[in-house]
Amino acid sequence: MPRITYIEYNGTEHTVDVPVGKSVMQGAIENNIPGIDADCGGECACATCHVYVDEAWLGLVGLPTPGSQEASMLSFAAVTQPDSRLSCQINVTQAMDGLIVRMPEGQH
Amino acid sequence: MNAPVQIDAATDAYSTPLDQIDVSNPRLYQEDCYFPYFERLRREDPVHYRKGGMYGDFWSVTKFKDIMHVETHPEIYSSEAKLGGISITDRPMEFRRSSFISMDPPRHDDQRRVVSPIVAPANLNNMSSIIRERTARVLDGLPRNETFDWVQDVSIELTTLMLATLFDFPVADRAKLTWWSDRATEDVNAGGIVNSEEKRLEILTEAVQVFTGMWHERAAKPPSYDLISMLAHGEATKNLVNDPAEFLGNLTLLIVGGNDTTRNSMSGGLAALCKNPSEYDKLRANPGLIPSMVPEIIRWVSPIIHMRRTAKADAEIGGKQIKAGDKVVMWYVSGNRDEESIDRPNEFIIDRARPRHHLSFGFGVHRCVGNRLAEMQLNILWEEIMKRFPRIELMEEPKRLYSNFIHGITEMKVRIPA
């Protein structure tokens, strides 16, 4: 099962196994990892599961398609960066074993 | 269907022919008896068409998942002011004022982005100490062993002070903000001061004048972190002042959004605790539950009763055929009680799992800009209350607003035992 490392804004690391097919957001919620709120529950409708994807993984994970709902929701989130994603829109694959994501200062 | 005072709503809700149920009747909210009507709609006709209702013909969307669907398809379900905007009331065309809440992408996006930094995480942290200091001062000034109005002395006072800060508005004149906010949303049939759109515009024109003065002052100065300065310097909004209707639309949005909703959560949360003594006990035993109680209060209160959209194309919701031009109303008060999406939705549970999974802030591109600020204000309020008052008593049933849009508590008599 792919292992994913979530790093809180304060630097605390959480490494957990997340089944293929789940979203990166679900991996955080189901393991009670703080820093991802996911108010809407994975509908890409709130932007409170915002993460920064580690540079080394950006090629594999990719960026939101321009004009997509994710891009639109992210554009209203605070503290976005070029490597920002909504973690509910990243579906875990076997190739993501070792993925690192970081949490922003706050979810909004 | 009619819903006079004292009616047995549960009987009326199930004996009224389905096609005659009209959940737009503001009396249902004033009398706090709307639940059985929505319970029936969710079970029997979750996407319900009412022809010839008090506010015209409209679709009611009552289930959480269907509301989410409408929220996330703004390309079909429009918020544009000229199509009817975000409220079930169809104002005459000349009174339909645009603002970023009643606009679709991409214009909405550009205007919203100008003001959203005011509630970015770092700025929220900066605001928290001033909010705490004021909250403490207001609470310390409350009478003991004496009945007083929580709405006036706490909810209005705290939210208006917050709003004055957000606008950098003179604190001494802050009562004007409450006045404009209440007049902006007043139902013309409520029997109050605003009995016509002309009257509303007359009152709100004063707000435009005051804020126009502030705008020009701030436009001439370097940008500062208040809403007027941000709008005056924002690329997408710097000419807003030259369009008085859209300026007023946006002012109204920010005043009502920053004020009314949090006010009613401050009142409604206390009412909910008083009416659910075992939850109040839980809170006393563990004030650490406040961060999960606050979103539960916001769900429970549902400060905005509905949001409206207008279909721009033929579409389908929950198997029903929606036609281009139809009025589609998302009843947040109903979605927030939908047992298919929320566990034990009719119970107020301050330590429920995933308490933020509620519709009160809306979802999608129009999701409440200030949602985390609202939560922070409520968190601080409850932290400071619990430091001081182990118990506050509700002395009588809260008085509620005649409105199908703002879920308002107008008066709430309480007492703090000495």
Side-chain angles (χ1 to χ4, degrees), chain B residues 254-411:
Chain B
L254 295 168
I255 291 173
V256 174
N259 183 34
D260 232 334
T261 50
T262 313
R263 178 205 302 180
N264 293 312
S265 296
M266 286 180 172
S267 307
L270 176 57
L273 283 167
C274 291
K275 291 179 177 200
N276 293 274
S278 62
E279 296 302 298
Y280 209 165
D281 288 343
K282 229 191 251 177
L283 174 64
R284 269 187 289 271
N286 181 11
L289 294 175
I290 290 171
S292 74
M293 175 181 78
V294 162
E296 173 68 350
I297 285 174
I298 296 168
R299 176 187 77 90
W300 189 251
V301 171
S302 301
I304 296 293
I305 295 171
H306 79 265
M307 280 284 168
R308 171 256 180 93
R309 301 288 184 259
T310 306
K312 288 202 295 186
D314 293 355
E316 192 185 301
I317 310 171
K320 295 287 181 83
Q321 296 300 314
I322 312 294
K323 293 266 175 254
D326 284 357
K327 173 153 67 172
V328 176
V329 181
M330 301 177 282
W331 296 99
Y332 294 154
V333 286
S334 175
N336 276 340
R337 293 291 192 280
D338 182 355
E339 41 286 291
E340 251 177 54
S341 296
I342 296 169
D343 186 38
R344 293 190 287 160
N346 295 310
E347 293 172 47
F348 177 70
I349 304 171
I350 68 169
D351 53 352
R352 65 165 63 242
R354 309 216 43 242
R356 278 177 166 152
H357 192 56
H358 64 69
L359 294 164
S360 296
F361 292 126
F363 279 113
V365 296
H366 290 289
R367 183 171 164 79
C368 175
V369 174
N371 70 78
R372 292 304 192 254
L373 174 60
E375 288 186 349
M376 187 172 83
Q377 289 175 267
L378 289 162
N379 270 303
I380 291 173
L381 173 64
W382 280 100
E383 285 164 12
E384 296 301 316
I385 288 174
M386 296 316 290
K387 281 182 200 167
R388 288 169 177 75
F389 314 131
R391 187 179 303 276
I392 304 174
E393 300 165 342
L394 187 61
M395 303 308 286
E396 57 185 49
E397 189 57 26
K399 291 192 175 55
R400 294 171 189 277
L401 188 67
Y402 180 92
S403 173
N404 58 26
F405 186 69
I406 299 286
H407 210 179
I409 295 179
T410 53
E411 187 185 295

